[in-house]
Amino acid sequence: MREKTFDILIIGAGLSGLLTAYSLSQKGLNIGIIDQTDFNNLNKKEIDFRTTAVSEGSKIYFEKIDFWRKISNFAEPIKQIKVFNRNKISKINFENPEKKSYLGYVILNAKIKKTLVKNLRNSKYVKLFPNTPLEEIDINNNFVKIKAKNNIFKSKLLIASDGKNSYVRKITKTTQFKKTYKQIALVINLNHNKNHKNIAHEIFSKLGPLAILPMKSQLKNYFSSSVIWSDEPEYINSLTSVNENHFKLMLEEKLFDYLGNIISIINKKSFNLSAHINSSFYKERLIFLGDAAHSIHPIAGQGWNLGVKDIENLSIALEDGLNLGLDIGDKYICKKYNYLSFQKAFMLYQITNNLNSIFLHENILINMFRSVGFNLIEKNRNIKNFISSFAMGKSNII
């Protein structure tokens, strides 16, 4: 077997894994990134048509690592978010309190991924290993050894970025806390004739939230949006089997006030909703990052931004450790990363879970609590600005 040695080895070439390689390669570290998929093939048809809501805080980090200018042309800004509690009377309007700045941006995952892969291909510090399924992991005091598809990989630090069903987490027997929701999210990208005016909507019904996000136009002379419709599994599953024209009419009736007539449905796919958080984000010479470390209910649209924060925190921890002359996989670096990332991830795991529960429950007391809360927030600019800043990743509750 051939042996390859790196400073850092990343398992998983999703958005978080690729961005981690891009960010850390700027420190002059030699990085290998392996994945069982053919992620290096940019000519294949992209099956991930989902969008990502990039917060203002993530954008600031992207600017710092010279990535934002490479994807900004694909980004559609969110100028305002309108949140509705059951009806249009009980609502909150969020805007960025800073002029000439936005609440966030909506970008197709495929655009981010292709941009990252193209840049990593040209990096002298990064080697890509597609179609390379992980087989074994051996970690000792001095290095990490990986066996994957007739190759032996050695590194000082292993980064697990292999998603919610992390194989690294399974092999290393890392415990997790998991919440499975009795909801399925139907993601629909569509073209419509009403100008979205860069406004995002979140409508909370008793069966689950409906989010509408403005996208870059996919069809000349029309507008495009991404819809994330969460509801009970039986209902969402029934929608996926409905005739395309009938489904379009149903969707148009539900969304007409926001999007006008639906011109065409670009694509749609359903996803089971669940959340989890690892008991720890590190072990000896091993760091869990992004969905391999945590996933949260999409109710707040903060999932990937939390992963971006992990990458920023890891960069800080590595820089601190290297300045002290420590080994790249030193326990000090791993513990500092865990310290910087775990608390916020745990907090958002709890907040999103509780928010979903509050909006699903139907009784007089909770309905009154929601209505009073919405009215209080809508009338108090300071509270609204605080929530907006937190959602943008520019302030912390803790």
Side-chain angles (χ1 to χ4, degrees):
M1 290 188 180
R2 292 170 293 177
E3 186 171 293
K4 299 174 175 62
T5 302
F6 298 94
D7 295 320
I8 295 174
L9 188 62
I10 299 171
I11 308 295
L15 295 187
S16 294
L18 293 170
L19 185 63
T20 302
Y22 177 90
S23 174
L24 299 185
S25 66
Q26 296 183 359
K27 298 182 181 299
L29 299 169
N30 291 313
I31 298 167
I33 178 166
I34 73 172
D35 194 286
Q36 62 183 348
T37 67
D38 190 19
F39 70 91
N40 192 30
N41 183 0
L42 298 180
N43 294 320
K44 70 174 182 177
K45 186 176 180 181
E46 182 59 57
I47 60 173
D48 187 0
F49 60 82
R50 291 172 297 173
T51 57
T52 289
V54 177
S55 71
E56 186 70 16
S58 293
K59 179 214 169 191
I60 291 170
Y61 180 63
F62 291 167
E63 288 175 331
K64 183 178 178 181
I65 60 175
D66 192 32
F67 184 59
W68 180 248
R69 68 179 180 86
K70 299 174 182 178
I71 60 170
S72 59
N73 287 338
F74 308 126
E76 187 71 6
I78 299 173
K79 297 179 179 178
Q80 188 178 14
I81 299 175
K82 295 186 176 183
V83 182
F84 300 102
N85 172 35
R86 301 293 191 268
N87 57 64
K88 290 187 176 181
I89 298 173
S90 181
K91 68 180 186 300
I92 307 172
N93 295 309
F94 291 106
E95 293 179 338
N96 192 328
E98 299 178 13
K99 300 298 181 183
K100 297 182 179 180
S101 192
Y102 302 116
L103 286 166
Y105 307 82
V106 178
I107 311 178
L108 282 166
N109 287 8
K111 297 293 186 183
I112 301 174
K113 184 175 182 178
K114 287 182 178 180
T115 303
L116 284 166
V117 171
K118 283 180 180 178
N119 280 270
L120 293 177
R121 278 177 169 180
N122 297 323
S123 172
K124 66 179 181 179
Y125 297 109
V126 180
K127 297 294 182 184
L128 309 180
F129 298 94
N131 302 309
T132 308
L134 176 64
E135 296 170 13
E136 296 177 9
I137 299 176
D138 178 27
I139 303 176
N140 59 42
N141 291 333
N142 299 313
F143 58 84
V144 178
K145 182 188 278 189
I146 301 292
K147 181 183 176 183
K149 196 182 179 182
N150 299 319
N151 290 292
I152 296 295
F153 298 91
K154 290 177 70 175
S155 68
K156 292 292 186 181
L157 177 66
L158 178 65
I159 297 174
S161 184
D162 53 342
K164 291 175 75 170
N165 299 314
S166 171
Y167 188 51
V168 177
R169 184 174 61 232
K170 182 179 179 180
I171 289 179
T172 58
K173 298 179 180 178
T174 302
T175 57
Q176 63 169 323
F177 305 100
K178 188 172 182 179
K179 173 74 175 180
T180 300
Y181 298 102
K182 295 179 181 178
Q183 294 172 311
I184 290 181
L186 182 60
V187 180
I188 312 148
N189 293 341
L190 49 82
N191 299 308
H192 51 92
N193 71 346
K194 185 176 181 179
N195 190 342
H196 52 55
K197 296 182 180 179
N198 297 98
I199 299 173
H201 299 85
E202 182 119 24
I203 304 108
F204 290 103
S205 74
K206 62 182 179 180
L207 298 176
L210 174 72
I212 306 170
L213 304 175
M215 289 172 56
K216 278 285 185 187
S217 179
Q218 305 291 298
L219 193 63
K220 190 176 180 180
N221 300 323
Y222 292 105
F223 305 93
S224 301
S225 293
S226 182
V227 176
I228 301 95
W229 184 356
S230 301
D231 211 307
E232 294 178 332
E234 186 177 354
Y235 182 62
I236 294 295
N237 287 331
S238 71
L239 290 178
T240 59
S241 59
V242 168
N243 173 276
E244 193 73 19
N245 288 329
H246 184 49
F247 176 74
K248 180 181 164 187
L249 290 172
M250 288 175 61
L251 201 60
E252 191 171 89
E253 182 179 1
K254 193 174 188 71
L255 303 175
F256 182 82
D257 289 347
Y258 312 100
L259 306 179
N261 293 314
I262 295 174
I263 306 304
S264 60
I265 295 172
I266 305 168
N267 37 44
K268 67 178 187 290
K269 191 173 183 180
S270 60
F271 301 89
N272 292 319
L273 293 184
S274 64
H276 82 280
I277 188 164
N278 293 5
S279 57
S280 173
F281 292 175
Y282 83 102
K283 285 192 169 185
E284 185 177 21
R285 295 192 177 275
L286 169 62
I287 277 172
F288 292 95
L289 183 147
D291 281 355
H294 49 70
S295 62
I296 59 177
H297 193 285
I299 194 169
Q302 291 299 308
W304 194 52
N305 294 299
L306 196 55
V308 172
K309 194 63 181 176
D310 288 345
I311 297 167
E312 185 176 5
N313 290 337
L314 177 56
S315 181
I316 292 169
L318 274 170
E319 189 169 338
D320 187 19
L322 292 174
N323 286 339
L324 292 171
L326 300 177
D327 180 284
I328 292 171
D330 191 273
K331 190 174 182 179
Y332 171 87
I333 293 173
C334 296
K335 285 186 70 173
K336 178 158 187 175
Y337 161 74
N338 186 78
Y339 169 77
L340 293 172
S341 293
F342 184 85
Q343 195 171 6
K344 183 172 183 178
F346 182 76
M347 178 188 67
L348 279 175
Y349 172 78
Q350 296 284 17
I351 287 175
T352 52
N353 179 62
N354 291 333
L355 272 176
N356 184 60
S357 296
I358 289 170
F359 281 106
L360 288 180
H361 277 89
E362 281 290 301
N363 64 52
I364 295 174
L365 192 60
I366 290 180
N367 288 347
M368 185 171 64
F369 169 75
R370 280 198 306 263
S371 296
V372 170
F374 264 62
N375 290 333
L376 176 65
I377 294 171
E378 175 62 14
K379 292 176 182 178
N380 191 309
R381 183 176 294 274
N382 289 332
I383 295 177
K384 283 209 295 184
N385 289 348
F386 176 78
I387 294 173
S388 296
S389 294
F390 178 74
M392 289 186 291
K394 299 179 72 175
S395 70
N396 292 308
I397 293 176
I398 55 173

